[in-house]
Amino acid sequence: MEVALVERLEAAVARLEAAVASGASLASTAPRDFDALEARSDPAIMAYDEFVAEAVGRLTAAAEKIGGKVLDATKVLAEAFAVAKDMLVQAKQHQKPASMADAQGFVKPLSDVMAKATAMTEGRRPDYFNHLKSVADSLPALAWVAFLGKDCGMSFPTAHVEESWQMAEFYNNKVLVEYRNKDPDHVEWAKALKDLYMPGLRDYVKKHYPLGPVWGPAGGAVVSQPKAAAPTPKAPAVKAPPPPAPPAAPLFSTEKSPKSSKPKEGMSAVFQEISSKPVTAGLRKVTDDMKSKNRADRSGVVSSTAPAPAAAPEKTSRAGWVVENQVGKKTLAIDDCDSRQSVYVYGCKDSVLQVNGKVNNITVDKCTKFGIVFKDVVAAFEIVNCNGVEVQCQGTSPTISIDNTSGCQLYLSKDSLGASITSAKSSEINVMVPSGGADGDWVEHALPQQYIHSFKDGQFTTSPVSHSGA
């Protein structure tokens, strides 16, 4: 530590001597250099470097074994942690912003990196979606570096890290379930990601910044504000400016649509303001003829060999099947499948699919009034972003996950009663199980969607809300 400090002091002295030799003002140069040096040599900042080097280094090493988009997403995560360090250093050199609006320039670099991670998960479901989603949903945990006090619209830093990781843990668990008996590199990556935040970042914040970043003294330099974009000069032939780009959704908001005209408060308003322009810049308007449902070359099931529409599911490769944008098809079936293949269903409406055989995993994404019957699943069956689906498991499935879904009727066979059912942000989930009687009737069980959290004996206990009839 002493050697590193001496080297930094020597570097600062060299810069000062160079500035004096060039005629620069010593009074204007010295404070800036020594303030930055002092901030970076702070024990909390040096502890952050050690923590990131170990935890992010372990995650990056695991990602390098996987490569591809997982490595790309991990590099974005590493960039976000580097930006967070710079923000901690800057905080010590500037006075605390008086309001959320004054903090826009301070948080913008972090918001830009988060937007980059989120963009990797958008569009058609990419490869390693659960990995990418885990990274994107975990990065809001770094927003604790913008904590300005209890009235800033954010939980205290330690609690904020814990709450943010809960959003990402759902998808991180999917990675663990999918690869636990298939590829140890992916399992190691998922474990390293969890350890990075819990307990890693949580314990670091709890020890060094329980009340948020340390700001410089009052009367010091203020954080810079984002510069307004210079107006684009009109070309002589253009008589009217182009229509403005549509506003982007706030980066950290979970609301589907605005409930009222009341403006957002606290940190949500800050990140909404600074992320609106970068997210929508350069986007083109999608006209009706460009949408998949209206394109003759994209209707039906996606095929790896022919773009023509298909009336029944077809293999995209030896690794799996994709069923896409089927409407009103009640006799869809997949027969030629094996336990190494996956099934992905996207954008289907008022249709029924039957999977006749054992497959590795099945995912149903953004489907409405959709029914699926399957026999055996090796890893997991997943329902994501759906509305009004019916599922019947005739064989076994170790894990069933339901995410962001409204209305799900799940029928379990006698062999699948041991399945682990995970739900998040979902409602109206009913599970039908065999009664065990000779009549073969089903018994319905409604999964709870409301919970009571009670503080007792030094910790919170959670129990579902039970309703008793009159």
Side-chain angles (χ1 to χ4, degrees):
M1 180 182 301
E2 293 180 356
V3 174
L5 183 58
V6 171
E7 291 177 350
R8 292 175 179 174
L9 287 171
E10 291 176 346
V13 171
R15 289 196 298 271
L16 291 174
E17 291 175 346
V20 172
S22 62
S25 171
L26 182 62
S28 62
T29 306
R32 182 178 68 251
D33 285 342
F34 278 113
D35 286 348
L37 178 61
E38 181 183 3
R40 293 184 180 276
S41 60
D42 183 276
I45 299 296
M46 299 178 72
Y48 184 88
D49 289 336
E50 296 176 0
F51 156 65
V52 170
E54 179 180 353
V56 177
R58 175 191 169 194
L59 182 67
T60 303
E64 288 174 346
K65 297 178 182 178
I66 302 172
K69 293 183 177 180
V70 176
L71 180 58
D72 294 340
T74 305
K75 290 180 178 179
V76 174
L77 180 145
E79 180 183 355
F81 273 80
V83 170
K85 174 192 171 180
D86 291 339
M87 294 173 68
L88 291 175
V89 173
Q90 291 178 32
K92 293 202 67 175
Q93 304 174 66
H94 297 84
Q95 65 176 340
K96 185 177 180 179
S99 65
M100 293 299 101
D102 295 335
Q104 291 184 19
F106 179 70
V107 299
K108 186 178 186 303
L110 181 60
S111 177
D112 290 344
V113 179
M114 292 181 183
K116 188 188 303 185
T118 302
M120 299 180 70
T121 67
E122 295 175 344
R124 183 178 172 184
R125 191 181 181 102
D127 295 336
Y128 302 121
F129 172 80
N130 292 328
H131 300 69
L132 305 184
K133 191 67 172 172
S134 298
V135 170
D137 285 2
S138 70
L139 290 185
L142 294 175
W144 71 266
V145 298
F147 181 80
L148 301 179
K150 62 180 181 180
D151 297 325
C152 72
M154 182 194 303
S155 300
F156 277 84
T158 304
H160 175 78
V161 172
E162 294 175 344
E163 294 166 1
S164 299
W165 171 247
Q166 290 175 3
M167 296 189 299
E169 189 173 25
F170 180 79
Y171 292 97
N172 198 59
N173 285 341
K174 290 184 178 183
V175 178
L176 290 171
V177 170
E178 181 178 357
Y179 291 96
R180 61 185 174 186
N181 296 322
K182 188 165 58 175
D183 193 330
D185 292 338
H186 291 264
V187 174
E188 170 60 22
W189 182 89
K191 290 182 177 179
L193 181 64
K194 180 177 181 180
D195 291 344
L196 171 63
Y197 291 97
M198 300 288 292
L201 182 61
R202 179 199 62 191
D203 290 354
Y204 169 81
V205 172
K206 184 176 181 180
K207 180 178 180 180
H208 297 283
Y209 295 101
L211 301 179
V214 178
W215 296 92
V222 296
V223 293
S224 60
Q225 298 300 314
K227 296 181 180 180
T232 304
K234 295 183 181 179
V238 179
K239 296 183 179 181
L251 187 59
F252 294 154
S253 174
T254 57
E255 296 178 356
K256 296 182 179 179
S257 60
K259 301 295 183 181
S260 68
S261 58
K262 181 181 178 181
K264 289 183 177 294
E265 299 177 352
M267 289 308 301
S268 297
V270 175
F271 282 98
Q272 179 177 5
E273 175 66 21
I274 64 178
S275 63
S276 58
K277 291 183 179 179
V279 174
T280 58
L283 297 183
R284 295 182 300 161
K285 179 177 177 59
V286 179
T287 58
D288 288 339
D289 61 319
M290 296 169 63
K291 296 179 180 178
S292 296
K293 65 180 183 180
N294 297 328
R295 289 176 55 184
D297 63 332
R298 290 297 303 276
S299 63
V301 179
V302 172
S303 172
S304 63
T305 57
E314 292 187 5
K315 268 193 243 184
T316 59
S317 67
R318 289 181 298 175
W321 302 73
V322 174
V323 184
E324 187 177 35
N325 297 330
Q326 296 290 330
V327 179
K329 302 292 181 65
K330 305 290 187 180
T331 58
L332 298 171
I334 297 176
D335 297 315
D336 184 18
C337 55
D338 61 54
S339 59
R340 295 170 298 177
Q341 296 175 340
S342 62
V343 177
Y344 178 61
V345 186
Y346 177 84
C348 294
K349 182 177 181 180
D350 194 26
S351 300
V352 178
L353 170 66
Q354 185 162 358
V355 182
N356 299 314
K358 178 184 288 188
V359 294
N360 184 269
N361 64 83
I362 300 175
T363 300
V364 180
D365 188 5
K366 290 187 179 179
C367 293
T368 303
K369 295 182 180 179
F370 180 76
I372 181 170
V373 181
F374 66 94
K375 290 189 176 179
D376 297 294
V377 170
V378 176
F381 178 88
E382 303 172 80
I383 305 171
V384 186
N385 304 323
C386 292
N387 187 8
V389 294
E390 293 188 10
V391 180
Q392 183 173 358
C393 176
Q394 297 178 329
T396 60
S397 176
T399 302
I400 298 174
S401 64
I402 306 169
D403 182 25
N404 196 28
T405 293
S406 175
C408 177
Q409 194 86 348
L410 180 61
Y411 295 82
L412 299 180
S413 67
K414 185 180 300 184
D415 295 332
S416 61
L417 293 180
S420 173
I421 303 176
T422 303
S423 64
K425 296 185 292 187
S426 299
S427 61
E428 301 174 36
I429 303 175
N430 297 303
V431 182
M432 311 289 290
V433 299
S435 64
D439 53 7
D441 288 342
W442 296 87
V443 178
E444 183 176 8
H445 299 269
L447 299 188
Q449 61 189 55
Q450 292 180 315
Y451 299 89
I452 298 176
H453 308 281
S454 304
F455 189 77
K456 185 177 181 180
D457 297 331
Q459 62 182 357
F460 278 98
T461 59
T462 301
S463 58
V465 175
S466 61
H467 300 279
S468 59

